[in-house]
Amino acid sequence: MKRAMITGLLAIGAVCLLLGCGKKDEEVKEPEQQEAELKEEKEEEKVEKDEKEYKTIGTESEEAYELLLTNHTGGEITQLKIKVSSAPEFPENMMAADMKIPVEETVRLYYAPPESAEEMNAEASGKMLLRTTYDISLAYEDGHTVDITGLGFDDMEAVELCFEDEVGFVKYVSAESGEEISTKETALALKAQKEAEAAAAAAQAEAAAAAETQVQTDVAQPVEQYQYEQPYYEEPVYQPEYTPDYTQNTSSGQGSDVGQSGEGCLDDPVFRY
């Protein structure tokens, strides 16, 4: 009986010793285990995210970029177009005719750039090897569109499509640096530049229109014709300062009118013999 009790106590002590050692080992390994567990959780979340069913736009291929797009623009998207930034126009809508992207919904995008993308980028940049960027155009039920420009798809995985202060932009975590990036400031600067260019073009057009109006006004006015007039010269008439008065008779003191008497100078008594 006594031996059985001793044996039981020894067994209990051995169990306690084992439990204590195990706890000690666990405490020593806890930081490493936490890091491993966090890493495992992230991998599981990534797997779940990849395996989650999303509406798909485009076709999966080796050349295609794969992006998760979340609609934070405030409206339901009905069309999505993508082009190389240097291309002049957007191609056709990539979404199915009956497909829509509601607010806060995420879709999976597969986009394969055209084979000439790098050539187009090199030509637009003066044969310099620059990073190829892409533009997105979103359309809505009411017909308005939102354009987001200058996106480097090779550095993106999960992208938030945003619209604030009358500009479209994106938010994403850089696949290269892990940094959170927003293109809003770039979009605002581009908007200000376009507005300044539009104002300058409008002012130039207004000045050209004013000049054209002035030309038409000048053409419509009658031309004044100048007619030469020969100068007129009038010869002056000489007027003596003193004119003798022959109507008076100097001898008699009485005047006589020569014209009335009919007598000439010889009838004057002075000249008589």
Side-chain angles (χ1 to χ4, degrees):
M1 179 71 176
K2 186 176 181 180
R3 182 180 294 178
M5 291 178 62
I6 293 172
T7 302
L9 291 173
L10 290 173
I12 293 173
V15 172
C16 291
L17 182 62
L18 290 172
L19 291 175
C21 292
K23 185 176 182 181
K24 185 176 181 180
D25 292 340
E26 183 180 355
E27 291 177 355
V28 172
K29 296 180 181 180
E30 184 174 356
E32 296 178 358
Q33 289 180 350
Q34 285 183 348
E35 184 177 354
E37 289 175 358
L38 289 174
K39 185 176 180 180
E40 186 178 352
E41 288 177 0
K42 289 183 179 179
E43 290 180 353
E44 290 177 355
E45 289 177 358
K46 185 177 180 180
V47 170
E48 290 178 359
K49 191 174 184 180
D50 291 341
E51 292 180 350
K52 185 176 180 179
E53 292 296 330
Y54 294 108
K55 294 179 182 177
T56 301
I57 300 174
T59 304
E60 182 178 5
S61 67
E62 294 182 359
E63 298 79 15
Y65 292 107
E66 181 180 353
L67 304 175
L68 293 178
L69 305 179
T70 303
N71 179 13
H72 292 324
T73 62
E76 189 174 56
I77 299 171
T78 58
Q79 292 186 21
L80 185 148
K81 302 177 182 179
I82 301 177
K83 73 176 183 66
V84 181
S85 295
S86 56
E89 297 180 354
F90 283 97
E92 296 296 326
N93 175 31
M94 293 184 64
M95 296 171 54
D98 57 346
M99 182 180 180
K100 297 180 181 179
I101 309 176
V103 178
E104 305 302 326
E105 183 171 301
T106 300
V107 297
R108 190 185 304 277
L109 169 69
Y110 292 107
Y111 174 72
E115 295 180 358
S116 59
E118 295 183 0
E119 296 178 1
M120 294 169 60
N121 183 61
E123 183 178 355
S125 58
K127 303 301 181 182
M128 295 177 61
L129 296 177
L130 297 179
R131 185 178 191 176
T132 303
T133 59
Y134 303 90
D135 300 344
I136 296 178
S137 180
L138 308 173
Y140 299 81
E141 287 282 0
D142 59 2
H144 84 277
T145 60
V146 173
D147 292 345
I148 306 175
T149 61
L151 305 180
F153 288 167
D154 56 345
D155 192 37
M156 299 177 176
E157 293 179 354
V159 181
E160 297 180 20
L161 304 174
C162 305
F163 182 80
E164 295 175 3
D165 298 329
E166 299 183 356
V167 295
F169 61 99
V170 297
K171 295 178 181 179
Y172 65 96
V173 176
S174 171
E176 295 178 358
S177 64
E179 180 184 1
E180 294 184 0
I181 297 177
S182 171
T183 63
K184 183 177 180 180
E185 294 301 322
T186 302
L188 288 172
L190 182 60
K191 176 176 179 289
Q193 179 182 351
K194 288 183 177 181
E195 289 176 348
E197 291 175 353
Q204 185 176 1
E206 184 177 355
E212 181 66 21
T213 301
Q214 184 62 41
V215 170
Q216 294 178 358
T217 302
D218 293 342
V219 171
Q221 290 180 350
V223 179
E224 296 183 0
Q225 296 181 354
Y226 177 76
Q227 184 176 4
Y228 175 77
E229 295 182 1
Q230 185 175 4
Y232 173 76
Y233 175 76
E234 182 178 0
E235 184 177 359
V237 179
Y238 174 75
Q239 297 290 339
E241 296 182 358
Y242 169 72
T243 306
D245 186 1
Y246 296 105
T247 62
Q248 295 182 357
N249 189 336
T250 57
S251 61
S252 62
Q254 297 177 353
S256 61
D257 189 348
V258 177
Q260 293 177 356
S261 62
E263 298 179 354
C265 294
L266 296 178
D267 293 335
D268 195 309
V270 179
F271 295 100
R272 291 178 183 179
Y273 292 96

